[in-house]
Amino acid sequence: MMIRIRSRDGLERVAIDNPLATVAQLKSQIETHLRVPTHAQILSTNRNLLLAKSRNDLTRFTDMSDPTARLSSLNVTHGSVVYLAYEGQRTVAGPAFHRAGSFGKKMTMDDLIAKQMRVTRQEKAYCELVSFDRDAANVFQRYVNESLAFAVKRGGFMYGTVSEEGKVEVDFIYEPPQRGGTQENLMLLRDPDEEKLVEATALGLGMRRVGFIFTQTISQNEKDYTLSNAEVLQAVELHTEGNLKEWVTAVVKLEVNEDGGADVHFEAFQMSDMCVRLFKEGWFEREIKEEVDPKLSRMKKDVVVGGKDTRDVDNDFFLVVVKISDHQGPLSSTFPIENRNSPVTTKALKNHLDRTKSLPFVKRIADFHLLLLIARFLDVNADVPALAACVQMQATVPEGYQLLIESLATAS
């Protein structure tokens, strides 16, 4: 049977003649054909092995640690993918070299550039940690889980702060207009006027755009990738637009737990420097054809991966894992969210103010989504950041703003 071996060097194959083969025999074949010493190999059927960043992380993958275990008992059969991690270097056979004339083969400038474009893993992220406001994260995932049932994709821009140490705190998520996503693609319908209001509000709150968050669908859980090629392309485009070295891409998915139930799971990454460079320099094929494996991103020209020339790069090469935490931020997340199934009207403002009568006025309006609704009735350059600054400082809201907000609520 043929076993596919996926490592940091890409996808390779080894043949096993014995249907009762053990893990030890597979390791022996890998050593013989792929030149990775047996003692250096860590094998797993879990693709997250390739995202491990430290030796301690690697020790968590124990499903193939018993050398006497039969492959069949681990559901490893013909065509299965086994993930391989190892330390150190190995020699990978390169392409055959054919001489052309007395001075060898001539190389074009594109050939020379491609030879220098080596795609390797980036071990360290610029973002030390990303922390999500619990309420903002919960409101986003609950909508996707309960209203969309993870059947279509949903996305948003994350806003918050970045510390000098590289810690990103996400305090609210803005969901731009989007055409009812599909199982594989997320189509954002960007509204420049609305985004100006969002940016002005964030400015007043002392925050900025720090990342992109999107969901994967249930059908994608059955696929053998962390991010698809379409997701990589969209993520790196927004990463480049964000112009922030700590920019974070977050993925929300539904995963089956040990009890057979379903848990909502957050993962966070940065797109690698090489990924951003390749995108900026136009190496990515933007038109993704159906026959291309979604776990691979196709380049317009050859790049070097694991010593081999190729145009297909495993998407995992472009991902740098970021640790996740949570916190209780300064804003509430109880106001209806923009650009969902039902338009948000001033009636929602009245209901919200009625519910929060016992609070000081500045706390009653300390919700980004409420501020975004009010911003539509204010001057974007002066009033929007000024009102948001009152929320940030927890200062008394000027009477003029308070009267305007209350009149908007009573006019509904």
Side-chain angles (χ1 to χ4, degrees):
M1 57 184 175
M2 192 69 69
I3 306 297
R4 293 181 289 170
I5 306 298
R6 183 170 293 279
S7 71
R8 69 193 190 199
D9 303 315
L11 187 66
E12 298 167 286
R13 294 170 175 79
V14 295
I16 301 287
D17 294 332
N18 182 2
L20 302 179
T22 63
V23 170
Q25 289 171 303
L26 175 59
K27 284 190 169 186
S28 177
Q29 288 292 91
I30 290 174
E31 180 174 36
T32 300
H33 296 284
L34 304 187
R35 301 183 185 180
V36 180
T38 300
H39 65 83
Q41 298 175 29
I42 298 176
L43 301 180
S44 177
T45 57
N46 187 337
R47 68 186 178 202
N48 290 327
L49 174 70
L50 298 185
L51 300 178
K53 299 179 66 176
S54 66
R55 183 182 292 273
N56 188 52
D57 289 341
L58 291 171
T59 60
R60 296 187 293 108
F61 298 90
T62 59
D63 58 310
M64 297 186 72
S65 59
D66 180 2
T68 65
R70 290 183 176 175
L71 298 179
S72 58
S73 70
L74 301 171
N75 293 323
V76 176
T77 59
H78 178 72
S80 293
V81 177
V82 172
Y83 298 89
L84 163 67
Y86 67 92
E87 294 183 349
Q89 301 294 323
R90 68 177 171 120
T91 302
V92 181
F97 178 75
H98 301 286
R99 297 186 64 83
S102 59
F103 296 99
K105 181 182 177 181
K106 293 182 179 179
M107 298 185 74
T108 66
M109 185 58 68
D110 283 348
D111 291 334
L112 291 170
I113 293 173
K115 290 295 182 186
Q116 297 173 19
M117 198 63 77
R118 296 181 177 274
V119 180
T120 57
R121 291 188 184 280
Q122 181 176 322
E123 298 300 328
K124 186 170 176 57
Y126 295 106
C127 175
E128 182 67 26
L129 171 78
V130 60
S131 181
F132 291 90
D133 175 90
R134 298 184 194 98
D135 294 334
N138 186 52
V139 165
F140 182 77
Q141 68 87 10
R142 193 171 66 231
Y143 173 68
V144 175
N145 191 9
E146 297 177 1
S147 299
L148 303 181
F150 279 92
V152 294
K153 298 172 78 72
R154 184 77 182 171
F157 291 111
M158 304 187 293
Y159 282 78
T161 57
V162 183
S163 73
E164 291 183 1
E165 298 77 27
K167 178 182 177 182
V168 172
E169 288 197 350
V170 177
D171 288 314
F172 71 83
I173 299 170
Y174 160 64
E175 299 177 24
Q178 42 209 284
R179 185 172 297 159
T182 67
Q183 292 186 2
E184 304 293 341
N185 295 299
L186 171 63
M187 185 173 292
L188 301 179
L189 305 177
R190 307 285 292 273
D191 182 339
D193 292 332
E194 184 171 87
E195 289 190 23
K196 286 180 183 176
L197 298 178
V198 174
E199 294 296 324
T201 303
L203 176 66
L205 292 170
M207 301 177 190
R208 62 162 296 165
R209 189 178 295 186
V210 295
F212 171 55
I213 186 170
F214 68 94
T215 62
Q216 289 184 334
T217 59
I218 295 175
S219 65
Q220 288 181 276
N221 288 351
E222 302 168 2
K223 306 293 178 63
D224 179 31
Y225 56 72
T226 307
L227 264 63
S228 71
N229 43 27
E231 290 168 343
V232 165
L233 200 55
Q234 186 171 43
V236 70
E237 181 174 11
L238 295 173
H239 182 128
T240 304
E241 177 189 314
N243 194 29
L244 175 70
K245 70 175 183 177
E246 296 89 357
W247 181 274
V248 176
T249 297
V251 186
V252 185
K253 59 179 70 175
L254 202 63
E255 292 191 345
V256 178
N257 58 35
E258 295 177 355
D259 301 322
D263 292 331
V264 177
H265 184 62
F266 281 68
E267 294 180 357
F269 307 94
Q270 284 199 277
M271 310 311 291
S272 70
D273 290 343
M274 177 55 74
C275 183
V276 173
R277 178 184 172 185
L278 289 169
F279 178 78
K280 285 182 175 180
E281 296 182 8
W283 287 64
F284 280 87
E285 284 283 5
R286 303 296 295 268
E287 297 295 327
I288 300 174
K289 299 178 181 178
E290 290 186 7
E291 63 266 22
V292 177
D293 189 331
K295 70 169 72 68
L296 302 174
S297 289
R298 177 154 291 178
M299 303 293 111
K300 293 179 180 177
K301 297 177 286 188
D302 282 353
V303 295
V304 180
V305 181
K308 297 178 180 179
D309 293 347
T310 182
R311 293 197 180 191
D312 293 322
V313 181
D314 190 314
N315 299 331
D316 285 348
F317 275 93
F318 296 137
L319 306 179
V320 189
V321 178
V322 175
K323 293 181 289 186
I324 291 180
S325 182
D326 64 359
H327 67 277
Q328 194 65 55
L331 303 174
S332 69
S333 296
T334 58
F335 196 75
I337 311 297
E338 62 284 343
N339 301 318
R340 288 188 174 177
N341 292 332
S342 303
V344 181
T345 66
T346 53
K347 183 175 182 180
L349 179 61
K350 180 179 187 306
N351 293 337
H352 180 88
L353 294 179
D354 288 345
R355 275 198 320 271
T356 56
K357 281 182 178 177
S358 61
L359 298 175
F361 193 81
V362 70
K363 288 191 177 295
R364 296 168 75 187
I365 65 169
D367 187 306
F368 160 74
H369 306 287
L370 179 149
L371 291 172
L372 181 58
L373 175 68
I374 296 171
R376 302 180 191 283
F377 302 92
L378 299 174
D379 181 271
V380 66
N381 297 313
D383 296 327
V384 173
L387 178 61
C390 292
V391 173
Q392 183 200 15
M393 304 299 293
Q394 288 295 288
T396 300
V397 177
E399 184 178 8
Y401 290 142
Q402 188 168 332
L403 288 173
L404 172 64
I405 293 168
E406 289 175 338
S407 67
L408 288 173
T410 55
S412 58

